[in-house]
Amino acid sequence: METNPSPRYRAVLIGIDAYAQRPLRGCVNDIDQIERVLIDRLGIPPERITRFAAPGAGAASTTRLQSRDPTRDELRAFLDRLSGEVGPEDAVFLYYSGHGSRVTTEVNGQRISREALVPVDCWNDADPQHHRLLYDYELNGLLARIAEKAGDLTVVLDCCHSASVDRGEGERQVEISETQQLPPQALPGGDLAKDVSGLASAAAAHMLVAACRANESAYEARPDETWPRQHGAFTRTLIEILGALDQPLQSLRWWDISIALTDRLKALADANRPQNPLIAGHEGRRVFGGPWARRDLGYALSQNGESFRIGAGTLTGLSEGAEVAVYGAEPDRFPILNSAQDHAARIGLLRVDKAESSSCTAVSVNGGFKLPQGARGRLVRSGEPDHLTVALDPFDAPLAASLAAWGIVGVPPETPGVEARLRRQNGQLHLGDEIYGVGGQPPLASFPGSQPGLAEAVLDHYARYRQTLRLPGRCRDLAGALEVKLLDCPERQISPEDLQAPGFDELPSDNPWRYKVKEGDGFVIRIANRSLDPLHVFVLNCAGSGRVQHLGSAQIPAGAMHVLWDSRKLGIPFYPTVAAERTEIVERLIVVGTTLPDQDLSYLELDDSFAEVIARFPDREMGTRSLSPLVEKWTAEMVTVRIYK
């Protein structure tokens, strides 16, 4: 047994095999294995683990716990009670293994899908036309109340997110065709944490890990010599990875195992039935919960001999010739680029030799090395097609020469086609682009022009910020496939149907911006997929502060629509804010869609604002910079919104 856990854990295990229709055989085995890890590896006292299990007739179990019936009402009531029992010292870990479902219906003239977990009493003999399901809006509300009270919440779901056309044996999904009659639900109240950059990041929510993407199925792996009992493919893979680790599981982060989890699950799955796990939340969070610190994710890296694969490509700034520094699992935050600490933390340096839209290959430029567990990459010099072009006003030849070493091109102010402008006035440098620093808008950042190296650091941060702003111009395979609208969200009672198809008005237009909204007024983001392909959609916010935030993601079937609420609680709109020193701010929402099921754009997030980059600069030590298959399609749209007081 490993050292006693800190913080205090509360674990909930739910495994259901004994369904009246389409029974399963591996779900109770799954939670038996997770139970063993919790007790034997993490040292969690059995009394702090609650188990709901419905094994098949005659099935053996290795559990050391008493089991409750996983009916809909029992699960609802328990989660509701748990929200009143936990406190800030508790880390709650919930593991569900069973069927999942998706109900497709039309609401307010829109085709929408509602996801649900399937309790053991789903099939209702008294009312066969209506099933007992634990719907997403109910579960989200229950989990949100737990997350508000607990120190941390992790939810792992080994089930399907949606029904599938191609059904296979052991597939953990059921298809529900009818429209359910659901009770109305009021918009939850309560104060929400505000963010000076305007909107809230999806990473603020609890951690959610799912066995597959929304357009895929989660399968059961057949027994073999190594695994004599049937298990979910996801759970089996997770247990294998945990079993091979000799480090304390209390400190294990999702980032440490995410690449192995994805690769090994792909290897276990049938090539014709892909299953890609989804990790929603910040991968720096601990696998079993507990205190965690923000962590720079960087690029996902893998190695094949002397060649390296990087999980990003030309769409996000990795073209041929780009250089990527390699770091290990530590430190959590990348050191300031080009500092002595930065060079000391690097394991190696890669140069991209072949780049595609969403991935690239690279070779080492400073000797051979082996990637450690948790290795990450960071762009240190872009390839020539991705160099940021900045107008220097007035032109400053020495500064232009210094910027060249950073992969930034400084040009005279009259040069056309620049992406940013750096204007010197009264000893200050002012950074602007096509929105900020023009037309009466304040600059993105202002800072002393006399500090050597500060302009380079600020422009390097802007170059990373610009990678996201470039996406609408680069993702044109499915031009016009995404229709994005921001809807005004009034404070009123709202039905569950309206959560995904609200009949709200659009925010008012505001030339030259797309929309305007007053600080504190709520809105939601409605995204319609007009293409013939299901799309995995990401919503990013290029905030006026200089941060890039991941607001959320969704799988949207062809011809369907999705409404994105603040990720912390379904039914809570986005509440924009304006920093105290400003009267208004312009946010740029970038909505990206792709046909690829295994993409994750979290590496585009920037936690630091321009102000934070500037404030940290005096502590910097400068060094010397080293010079039928699935068709991949991408689409992206930009929506501008002016937030005013």
Side-chain angles (χ1 to χ4, degrees), residues 255 259 295 297 299-301 326-329 347 371-377:
W255 175 267
I259 295 176
R295 188 169 190 262
L297 297 179
Y299 301 130
L301 304 174
V326 179
Y327 306 83
I347 294 170
L371 288 178
Q373 179 178 303
R376 309 165 279 166

Side-chain angles (χ1 to χ4, degrees), residues 123-207:
W123 284 272
N124 186 354
D125 293 336
D127 187 4
Q129 296 303 312
H130 295 90
H131 296 79
R132 298 186 185 95
L133 297 169
L134 188 56
Y135 283 98
D136 50 5
Y137 82 95
E138 297 178 282
L139 186 62
N140 286 342
L142 291 165
L143 295 177
R145 290 197 289 275
I146 295 171
E148 288 171 358
K149 301 288 186 64
D152 195 49
L153 171 62
T154 301
V155 179
V156 184
L157 305 176
D158 192 349
C159 65
C160 296
H161 277 208
S162 63
S164 172
V165 175
D166 298 318
R167 291 180 164 182
E169 182 181 356
E171 188 176 344
R172 294 182 170 183
Q173 63 86 23
V174 291
E175 188 171 4
I176 306 296
S177 58
E178 83 279 1
T179 300
Q180 300 285 300
Q181 298 298 315
L182 303 174
Q185 174 175 294
L187 283 173
D191 293 334
L192 293 175
K194 302 296 185 181
D195 190 295
V196 296
S197 55
L199 299 173
S201 171
H206 59 264
M207 195 72 189

Side-chain angles (χ1 to χ4, degrees), residues 299 301 308-310 312-314 317-325 349-356 359-365 379 381-383 386:
Y299 301 130
L301 304 174
F308 298 82
R309 183 183 182 276
I310 304 174
T314 57
L318 282 184
S319 51
E320 292 181 11
E323 293 182 354
V324 174
L349 185 68
L350 306 178
R351 180 174 293 124
V352 175
D353 60 358
K354 183 179 179 181
E356 299 179 346
S359 65
C360 61
T361 59
V363 295
S364 173
V365 298
L379 181 67
R381 181 182 175 86
S382 62
D386 298 299

Side-chain angles (χ1 to χ4, degrees), residues 336-353:
I336 295 176
L337 191 65
N338 207 29
S339 65
Q341 294 89 344
D342 177 33
H343 287 282
R346 294 183 189 181
I347 294 170
L349 185 68
L350 306 178
R351 180 174 293 124
V352 175
D353 60 358

Side-chain angles (χ1 to χ4, degrees), residues 77-101:
F78 174 79
L79 294 175
D80 185 54
R81 289 196 305 272
L82 186 62
S83 67
E85 296 172 359
V86 296
E89 71 281 6
D90 291 309
V92 180
F93 180 81
L94 188 153
Y95 202 100
Y96 173 87
S97 182
H99 273 312
S101 185

Side-chain angles (χ1 to χ4, degrees), residues 15 31 133 161 273 382 425 475 543 581 596:
I31 64 169
L133 297 169
H161 277 208
R273 304 190 303 180
S382 62
Q425 185 178 28
C475 301
E581 68 274 11
L596 296 184

Side-chain angles (χ1 to χ4, degrees), residues 486-489 505-509 514-517 522-523 641:
L486 304 189
L487 307 182
D488 183 23
C489 186
D505 295 330
E506 277 190 81
L507 289 177
S509 60
R514 175 82 175 272
Y515 295 110
K516 65 179 178 180
V517 62
F523 69 88
V641 55

